[in-house]
């Protein structure tokens, strides 16, 4: 295996900090003592690797990958596509990209989600794919609904899709959320507001792209992910979450 060298830690002065009291669950999740700096080792720097032969044909089609009969998922059909790049715009090929999201009513298929909106029996909410040789990926899905969450007052999550990019090893995994152009809930969201700079938050908002939409079928949203550098995508400080 190629020696990729030690992992480069994320710059916490740029990415959202772990402790953001406006986002209440971050308080208990964030460290209260200074961090120790440990060298990464083989368990962080190597594998597991995922190959194309491990993916099912519908893994990147959330409209069809959970259907029990012939019925597709309920909702506004959308294509989410983009490219994963490094700081020089060089594509990142063959990397696993996974997404998870609420259904069209704003409800997750998760035992802890008890929101009034019903589950859609034909929608699971998870998908995965591997970038091609030019770093491109695409998912066919439905637009997730916004939903209220128990953070305080009347907080709502904007429509969003959770995105994980795997890299070459466990220690490289990066997680973020994609928002939708024009959603008025974005500037009101305490989680979106953990991103300190307006320009960096704009990088998480996918523009509508009519050129990639398909007439009479789906709209398209473009979400590029930049791993490092001046135009880097903002990543989360936690590894789990809905
Ligand atoms: O971390 C959380 O508490 C939390 C709550 C609601 C969400 O939609 C989410 O993405 C995270």
């Amino acid at each position: 295996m190629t020696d990729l060298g030690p992992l480069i830690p994320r710059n916490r002065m740029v990415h959202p900090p772990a402790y953001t009291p406006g986002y209440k669950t971050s308080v208990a999740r964030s460290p209260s003592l200074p961090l120790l700096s440990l060298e990464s080792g083989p368990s962080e720097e190597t594998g597991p690797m995922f190959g194309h032969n491990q993916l099912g044909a519908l893994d990147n089609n959330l409209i069809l990958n959970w259907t029990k009969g012939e019925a597709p998922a309920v909702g506004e059909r959308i294509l989410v596509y983009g490219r994963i790049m490094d700081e020089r715009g060089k594509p990142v090929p063959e990397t696993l990209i996974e997404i998870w999201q609420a259904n069209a009513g704003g409800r997750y298929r998760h035992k802890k989600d008890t929101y009034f909106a019903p589950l859609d029996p034909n929608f699971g909410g998870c998908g995965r794919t591997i970038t091609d040789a030019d770093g491109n990926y695409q998912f066919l899905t439905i637009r997730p609904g916004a939903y209220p969450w128990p953070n305080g007052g009347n907080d709502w999550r904007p429509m969003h899709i959770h995105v994980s990019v795997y890299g070459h090893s466990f220690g490289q995994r990066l997680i973020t959320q994609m928002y939708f152009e024009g959603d008025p809930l974005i500037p009101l969201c305490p989680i979106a507001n953990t991103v300190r700079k307006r320009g960096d938050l704009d990088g998480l908002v996918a523009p509508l792209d009519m050129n990639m939409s398909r007439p009479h079928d789906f709209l398209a949203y473009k979400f590029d992910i930049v791993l490092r550098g001046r135009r880097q995508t903002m990543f989360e400080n936690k590894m789990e979450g809905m």
Side-chain angles (χ1 to χ4, degrees), residues 78-97:
I78 58 171
L79 176 80
V80 172
Y81 82 99
R83 197 171 208 214
I84 306 187
M85 290 167 279
D86 71 10
E87 68 271 41
R88 284 163 298 181
K90 199 165 142 264
V92 179
E94 310 288 326
T95 195
L96 178 71
I97 170 163

Side-chain angles (χ1 to χ4, degrees), residues 23 25 29 108 147 149 157 160 162 177 191 236 238 240-242:
Y23 168 17
T25 50
R29 279 194 199 124
Y108 285 94
Y147 55 85
W149 60 300
R157 294 304 327 281
H160 65 280
H162 297 267
Q177 298 183 27
I191 297 184
E236 291 183 357
K238 63 182 170 62
E240 83 300 336
M242 297 199 304

Side-chain angles (χ1 to χ4, degrees), residues 27-238:
V27 175
R29 279 194 199 124
S30 52
S32 52
L33 294 171
L35 297 184
L36 293 175
S37 183
L38 300 176
E39 289 278 301
S40 57
S43 60
E44 294 82 33
E45 291 169 19
T46 58
M49 293 302 287
F50 301 93
H52 289 282
N53 58 1
Q54 283 158 296
L55 296 184
L58 291 177
D59 281 7
N60 68 339
N61 184 337
L62 287 76
I63 295 180
L64 293 179
N65 72 11
W66 188 269
T67 55
K68 296 293 175 287
E70 292 299 298
V74 170
E76 186 182 336
R77 298 160 65 85
I78 58 171
L79 176 80
V80 172
Y81 82 99
R83 197 171 208 214
I84 306 187
M85 290 167 279
D86 71 10
E87 68 271 41
R88 284 163 298 181
K90 199 165 142 264
V92 179
E94 310 288 326
T95 195
L96 178 71
I97 170 163
E98 298 165 290
I99 64 170
W100 60 103
Q101 63 168 93
N103 70 21
R107 171 96 183 255
Y108 285 94
R109 186 171 288 284
H110 189 287
K111 60 178 184 299
K112 286 199 177 157
D113 190 342
T114 54
Y115 183 38
F116 300 119
L119 282 172
D120 173 356
N122 294 306
F123 186 69
C126 299
R128 59 182 184 172
T129 189
I130 290 180
T131 55
D132 69 11
D134 295 317
N136 296 306
Y137 73 89
Q138 62 175 49
F139 290 97
L140 201 57
T141 185
I142 49 96
R143 189 197 293 270
Y147 55 85
W149 60 300
N151 187 60
N154 186 14
D155 283 329
W156 286 71
R157 294 304 327 281
M159 302 176 287
H160 65 280
I161 297 181
H162 297 267
V163 180
S164 156
V165 178
Y166 205 86
H168 299 285
S169 63
F170 277 126
Q172 287 188 334
R173 188 178 179 210
L174 293 168
I175 297 182
T176 190
Q177 298 183 27
M178 178 200 116
Y179 301 100
F180 292 80
E181 178 184 4
D183 187 340
L185 293 172
I186 298 170
L188 306 181
C189 173
I191 297 184
N193 284 328
T194 63
V195 176
R196 285 174 276 214
K197 287 202 210 136
R198 177 63 209 264
D200 286 340
L201 178 55
D202 288 345
L204 299 183
V205 182
L208 174 69
D209 181 355
M210 289 309 284
N211 289 328
M212 283 294 283
S213 70
R214 184 182 288 169
H216 312 290
D217 191 348
F218 54 74
L219 288 174
Y221 285 87
K222 185 170 197 283
F223 187 57
D224 286 337
I225 296 174
V226 182
L227 300 182
R228 292 178 292 272
R230 238 167 14 100
R231 292 176 195 279
Q232 68 192 301
T233 302
M234 291 295 108
F235 296 106
E236 291 183 357
N237 235 322
K238 63 182 170 62

